[in-house]
Amino acid sequence: MKLIGNYTSPYVRKISIIMLEKGITFEFSNESPWSEESHVPHYNPLGKVPAL
């Protein structure tokens, strides 16, 4: 599973901690939803993080 987000977001940190506690392996992709080169809208049409 791939977690797309930015660690400055409290929601992304919360999801990553839950996934670690549950033993779910994931790959973290550090993407800023506010930059113009962001790929976040490809994963979430609203452009919000976290996205799985």
Side-chain angles (χ1 to χ4, degrees):
M1 188 174 296
K2 190 173 187 180
L3 175 63
I4 296 111
N6 194 331
Y7 272 130
T8 59
S9 167
Y11 304 110
V12 173
R13 289 193 307 259
K14 197 179 288 188
I15 294 297
S16 65
I17 289 170
I18 290 170
M19 291 175 75
L20 287 171
E21 286 182 347
K22 295 287 185 179
I24 301 170
T25 57
F26 65 95
E27 175 187 342
F28 181 73
S29 177
N30 191 14
E31 298 259 351
S32 175
W34 305 283
S35 71
E36 292 182 18
E37 301 87 26
S38 175
H39 296 289
V40 173
H42 296 287
Y43 301 109
N44 185 347
L46 297 176
K48 296 186 177 186
V49 291
L52 291 175

